[in-house]
Every structure is written in C-alpha cells, then in structure tokens.
Amino acid sequence: MAGDKRRNTKIEDRPLGYALGGEILGVDMRDPVDDATVEAMRRVWHEHHVMVLRDQDAGPDDILRFARGFGDLDDHAQTPFYRKDGYPGLLDITTHCPLYTTDAADQ
C-alpha cells in the first residue's frame, strides 16, 4: 500500500518457562507493525499468557500505540494510584503501595 509506514516484521519467540511467559524477539515497539506481526504476537500471548519484549527504548506514547494494536485499553480507574501520570492507559510497576506507608508521620 503506498504511503503505508507499517513494517513487516519477522518475529521469533521462545518460551520463558514451563507454565508461563513467552519472549518476542525482532520487534521494536517504537515502529508500527503490520497486521500479520500483531497476529503472530497475539498467538504467543495466548499460548504463554505473558509476552516479554526485552530491551525496548520505547516511551509512553510508543507503548500505548503498540498496545492498541491488540485492542482497546483499560483506563485503570480502579487502580488510580498506579496509573502513569498523563497516561491512564499505563500502569507503573512498583513495589511501593501508596495506600500503606511505614512513615512514622503517618502512624
């Protein structure tokens, strides 16, 4: 298709463990990908339940564009403390729980 900037990407996948996790190789989340690549990644996701793309240098906008290729995103209204500021479709992964604190001032 003329003017189509989506890249055809040949992906490789490998299981990360017996029960859970598949690693995707050959995809840069900053680059738009074609429908066939999205479908191949979807198959890995459905088979392994967790999809890992290591060493990505993608910003929040890149991640959201990439994730939208799999469908509508949740706004995480039920977990507002973990939403990334300015990006309700993203959650920060952390070991800190904002509802509980060990700060003496809060006790």
Side-chain angles (χ1 to χ4, degrees):
M1 191 183 310
D4 192 346
K5 296 184 191 283
R6 296 179 300 172
R7 284 185 38 202
N8 292 316
T9 306
K10 180 171 172 58
I11 71 165
E12 180 184 342
D13 70 277
R14 62 177 167 214
L16 293 175
Y18 174 74
L20 194 66
E23 181 175 10
I24 302 282
L25 303 163
V27 173
D28 185 334
M29 291 172 67
R30 297 172 298 180
D31 296 331
V33 294
D34 65 0
D35 293 339
T37 301
V38 170
E39 190 54 38
M41 289 187 292
R42 186 183 311 276
R43 283 192 299 272
V44 172
W45 179 29
H46 289 178
E47 180 179 346
H48 299 288
H49 309 291
V50 173
M51 190 169 56
V52 176
L53 291 95
R54 296 185 196 273
D55 302 322
Q56 297 290 317
D57 189 25
D61 292 317
D62 299 318
I63 296 167
L64 287 170
R65 185 185 64 251
F66 178 82
R68 285 185 183 114
F70 294 91
D72 294 334
L73 302 180
D74 192 291
D75 68 0
H76 303 291
Q78 300 302 317
T79 52
F81 296 110
Y82 297 108
R83 285 190 289 187
K84 183 154 186 68
D85 289 341
Y87 297 93
L90 295 179
L91 293 178
D92 282 323
I93 298 174
T94 179
T95 58
H96 171 72
C97 180
L99 299 177
Y100 304 99
T101 181
T102 58
D103 188 351
D106 291 335
Q107 294 181 11

